[in-house]
Amino acid sequence: MNHEVYLALGSNMGDRIENVRSALDALNDRADINIIARSSLYETEPVGVTEQAEFINAAIRIKTSLSPRALLKLVKSIEKALGRVKTVRWGPRVIDIDILLYDNLILSERSLKIPHPEMKERIFVMVPLSEIGYNVLHPLTGKTIGEMASGLSGLESIKKWE
């Protein structure tokens, strides 16, 4: 359990809170993952395809022995087990689990990019992430997550749910 990883979770179909909790339970049930911190849940407006329900989002910090690729395979299997079906990009989803940061790793492959390339512009990622990793440095920008989150526009559009 030597890698520190931050994940984002989101849902806007069905029982959104239960979907996020089920994903957390599936991660927590793994012997090779230890959830260290969990943000509050936040309700946010959809991005990209805006004609869909609002999302419930959260971020977690985990310790894991899994490699980045093995972790990606695991989160995709959890998404599938919880009923996620790929549709349109940025479309509705039962659950979405993204790898945001993995130690200080910088990785750019076709199917996996770390840090997540779009995280720094996304309020629904940065606000929950800053709650649990305010002073964590983004390996590409050199700024803290808190600095990056506070500089985003539209912060009034995100609502703390619990």
Side-chain angles (χ1 to χ4, degrees), residues 8-84:
L9 298 94
S11 173
N12 77 332
M13 293 176 67
D15 187 335
R16 302 169 302 165
I17 293 172
E18 184 56 35
N19 294 338
V20 170
R21 286 189 177 139
S22 294
L24 289 169
D25 289 345
L27 289 163
N28 202 41
D29 286 346
R30 298 280 305 205
D32 48 10
I33 291 179
N34 185 16
I35 298 176
I36 304 299
R38 187 201 99 172
S39 74
S40 301
L41 297 177
Y42 290 86
E43 187 172 56
T44 60
E45 296 174 0
V47 172
V49 178
T50 56
E51 297 299 317
Q52 58 180 315
E54 291 186 334
F55 279 82
I56 291 293
N57 294 98
I60 60 173
R61 178 169 52 111
I62 66 170
K63 292 279 191 179
T64 186
S65 56
L66 295 173
S67 70
R69 286 159 209 83
L71 181 59
L72 178 64
K73 185 176 179 181
L74 171 65
V75 299
K76 294 304 170 196
S77 72
I78 291 171
E79 288 177 348
K80 187 175 181 181
L82 293 177
R84 175 149 185 201

Side-chain angles (χ1 to χ4, degrees), residues 68-69 102 104-109 112-117 140:
R69 286 159 209 83
Y102 185 104
N104 290 316
L105 181 67
I106 298 171
L107 179 69
S108 184
E109 297 177 349
L112 181 59
K113 293 179 180 21
I114 300 172
H116 192 289
L140 292 174

